[in-house]
Amino acid sequence: MTVLERGVRRHLIAGSAREGTGSETIDVTDPATGEVVGTIPAGGEADADAAVCAARAAAPDWARRDPAERGELLKACARVLRGAVDELAEIQTRENGKPLADSAAGVEAGIGAIEQYAEIGPLHRGAALAGSWGAVDTMVPEPRGVAALIVPWNDPVAIASGQIAAALVTGNTAVFKPSERTPLSGARLVELMELPPGVLNLLLGDGRAGQALVEHPGVDVALHTGSVETGRQIAATCASQLGRKALLELGGKDPLVIDEGVDPRWAAEQAASGAFANAGQVCTSVERIYVHRSLAAPFIDALVREAESITVGNGMDPATEMGPLVDDRQVDVVHRHVSDAAAAGARVATGGEPADAPGSFYPPTVLTDVDGSMAIMREETFGPVVPVQVVGSFEEGLELASATEYGLAASVLTPSLQNAQRAARELPVGTLKINSVWGGAPGGGAEPRGVSGTGYGYGPELLDELTRTKVIHMEPAPRAELGATDAR
Ligand code: TXE
């Protein structure tokens, strides 16, 4: 079946496809062509209520199953998904534009996350305490209840898969709301995961559906990956409900600091990969660069050559290295940042104009002569644009890198062990990458700093976040006296 034939989606609640309760619908467009590839209902309060009620009804039985059984069911889902990688990758590329090979890698990463949580979930445990003689004191994790999973569009299958698996293996049930920009891959993911009715529900729609979900009294924990503004609203709603937890992975303005003594061509390759992968729409994309004056000129030349060598096109074409942005709204954000910077004195070394052709394309762009007063150096751009500021020392680079309200990730390139250690101590971020803009061992979870979020969004620690600990103190009851009335 083609993507288009699959294109009209419905909510999936308690194991059944449901029409929306309202008549409004949202079209999903292919950003490479502008073609409509799907339509979803714009879910509202009544749909959110139905989804949360289904999740609540399924919660007691799901929580009582052995964790090993939940893990086995998730492994069975992963096996089915492994047979559908190509299909999911194509749907994802048709709705968010990323090159097909990157899309497949994202789907594979998501399936890997499901397998990992299916394996480590049943090993998640509490603790035995050293209490008084004759007593047993333990700390046991319990599911929180119903999880609201509010997912973005930039790597939709990978992000959703990890959140779904971690929530379900710990005994929660879930309502998953994919982004209105990429609901088709999310919907297909849920269809393919065979689970007892109500354990995983799909709510379609935009921010209104997300808000109705988070505000629903039946939700116990909300996970959101997305913008700072939406994260703030979700945090405020959860705080006002007391006892409802918010786990937020929000935007970033990740710096790359380049020290003296670094090979400028290697630095340019690293910078281009960090800034232009997925057209700059990765939460940990390189968003600003501070380069040491001693290598600035050859570095900028090499970076411009890297940017100009990237093949931009439709993600369905195997030759494409960078696809379009997710939609025209994202192009507008990116172009506003670039034009404002240029108007304030920045030099556009390459790129800087949206393509004059159908589709939401923006070229790989390098800006120089920038400073911290420009939005492009302060606000998340989330596009294939990298501004470069020249600094007199590594220390100055670290200071400027730290002068931000965000704190998601940062990278440094340096041959100096001393400077690497200094960066590790001083940069206020959750993730630091030294001498490689990508990479990391499995299981690395981190807590973002500043407005970039709160709590662990990944790794084994996410299992802690999704459970509540109960401490139990147990003593033997005294033996009843013979003849006592309450002993009968
Ligand atoms: O995000 P939103 P958007 C950043 C990036 C991007 C900007 C806006 O800078 O340009 O955010 O993207 C749902 N209550 N990131 O508009 O609004 C929404 O329907 C509950 C960085 O897509 O956060 C979608 O499912 N839910 C980021 C999800 O939230 C609400 C990845 C994300 O949408 C809601 C994505 C509400 N009031 C964007 N309003 C990263 N860290 O990787 C919206 N939603």
Side-chain angles (χ1 to χ4, degrees):
M1 214 179 259
T2 68
V3 172
L4 284 175
E5 282 164 321
R6 293 196 184 284
V8 178
R9 316 311 299 210
R10 291 181 289 170
H11 307 293
L12 288 169
I13 297 174
S16 309
R18 298 242 190 123
E19 301 294 342
T21 52
S23 56
E24 194 184 333
T25 57
I26 300 171
D27 284 342
V28 184
T29 51
D30 179 338
T33 60
E35 176 194 4
V36 173
V37 290
T39 302
I40 59 163
E45 274 179 37
D47 306 295
D49 183 53
V52 175
C53 289
R56 280 232 83 81
D61 173 65
W62 186 247
R64 283 179 201 139
R65 292 187 188 226
D66 291 350
E69 186 189 348
R70 294 194 293 257
E72 285 306 319
L73 285 166
L74 286 167
K75 283 184 202 168
C77 293
R79 283 193 291 275
V80 174
L81 294 170
R82 287 235 170 257
V85 171
D86 291 347
E87 180 196 358
L88 283 163
E90 182 182 339
I91 298 173
Q92 212 177 228
T93 291
R94 292 295 299 275
E95 59 185 359
N96 83 356
K98 64 168 71 186
L100 200 52
D102 294 0
S103 215
V107 173
E108 301 258 12
I111 298 169
I114 295 173
E115 289 166 344
Q116 279 180 356
Y117 281 122
E119 201 64 47
I120 65 169
L123 307 181
H124 186 235
R125 61 190 161 190
L129 305 174
S132 53
W133 176 257
V136 175
D137 291 89
T138 53
M139 292 163 70
V140 291
E142 294 182 341
R144 285 185 172 270
V146 173
L149 311 177
I150 299 180
V151 170
W153 43 268
N154 51 330
D155 209 353
V157 174
I159 296 171
S161 298
Q163 294 189 356
I164 289 169
L168 299 192
V169 79
T170 42
N172 302 282
T173 55
V175 178
F176 160 42
K177 199 209 77 65
S179 168
E180 60 278 21
R181 290 151 138 177
T182 54
L184 309 179
S185 53
R188 188 69 187 129
L189 181 71
V190 177
E191 277 174 7
L192 288 165
M193 295 182 76
E194 282 177 25
L195 291 161
V199 167
L200 175 61
N201 305 278
L202 172 77
L203 174 67
L204 295 172
D206 57 19
R208 293 165 295 175
Q211 189 165 344
L213 174 60
V214 175
E215 286 177 353
H216 195 289
V219 166
D220 300 286
V221 54
L223 281 73
H224 171 248
T225 306
S227 67
V228 172
E229 194 190 330
T230 298
R232 268 191 221 283
Q233 283 182 36
I234 291 174
T237 305
C238 289
S240 72
Q241 298 292 324
L242 300 176
R244 185 174 308 176
K245 184 165 192 162
L247 289 170
L248 307 169
E249 215 233 6
L250 310 175
K253 190 72 198 170
D254 293 358
L256 167 64
V257 183
I258 305 173
D259 201 0
E260 62 184 329
V262 161
D263 173 1
R265 272 180 307 176
W266 169 69
E269 282 163 21
Q270 290 286 316
S273 169
F276 303 134
N278 199 21
Q281 301 166 116
V282 183
C283 52
T284 54
S285 290
V286 169
E287 287 252 338
R288 55 197 167 114
I289 293 178
Y290 302 102
V291 60
H292 195 280
R293 190 176 309 285
S294 60
L295 68 145
F299 166 74
I300 291 167
D301 285 349
L303 180 57
V304 168
R305 278 197 303 277
E306 288 285 335
E308 291 175 348
S309 72
I310 293 171
T311 307
V312 180
N314 188 323
M316 296 300 295
D317 180 344
T320 293
E321 293 172 321
M322 194 182 99
L325 303 195
V326 69
D327 59 15
D328 288 348
R329 178 160 69 104
Q330 199 60 30
V331 173
D332 290 346
V333 173
V334 170
H335 194 51
R336 179 172 52 78
H337 278 193
V338 171
S339 329
D340 287 358
R347 184 174 77 84
V348 181
T350 187
E353 280 298 330
D356 186 16
S360 306
F361 289 96
Y362 203 88
T365 296
V366 178
L367 300 181
T368 60
D369 301 342
V370 292
D371 64 52
S373 70
M374 300 172 183
I376 197 118
M377 295 298 277
R378 287 185 285 103
E379 296 170 20
E380 187 172 49
T381 306
F382 226 56
V385 176
V386 66
V388 183
Q389 183 168 348
V390 179
V391 292
S393 64
F394 188 74
E395 187 180 25
E396 185 188 354
L398 285 190
E399 266 172 35
L400 291 169
S402 306
T404 171
E405 58 176 358
Y406 293 101
L408 199 58
S411 305
V412 299
L413 304 179
T414 177
S416 154
L417 179 60
Q418 204 176 14
N419 282 349
Q421 288 180 330
R422 183 169 180 184
R425 277 193 306 270
E426 294 182 10
L427 284 172
V429 292
T431 301
L432 174 64
K433 291 158 288 175
I434 298 171
N435 291 333
S436 178
V437 292
W438 302 118
E447 293 179 87
R449 311 293 199 265
V451 301
S452 289
T454 173
Y456 288 92
Y458 307 93
E461 290 78 6
L462 181 54
L463 302 174
D464 298 334
E465 302 275 22
L466 288 163
T467 49
R468 251 191 282 248
T469 304
K470 180 179 279 174
V471 66
I472 301 171
H473 170 73
M474 185 166 60
E475 295 191 23
R479 287 172 67 107
E481 303 244 339
L482 271 182
T485 45
D486 59 354
R488 283 197 297 263

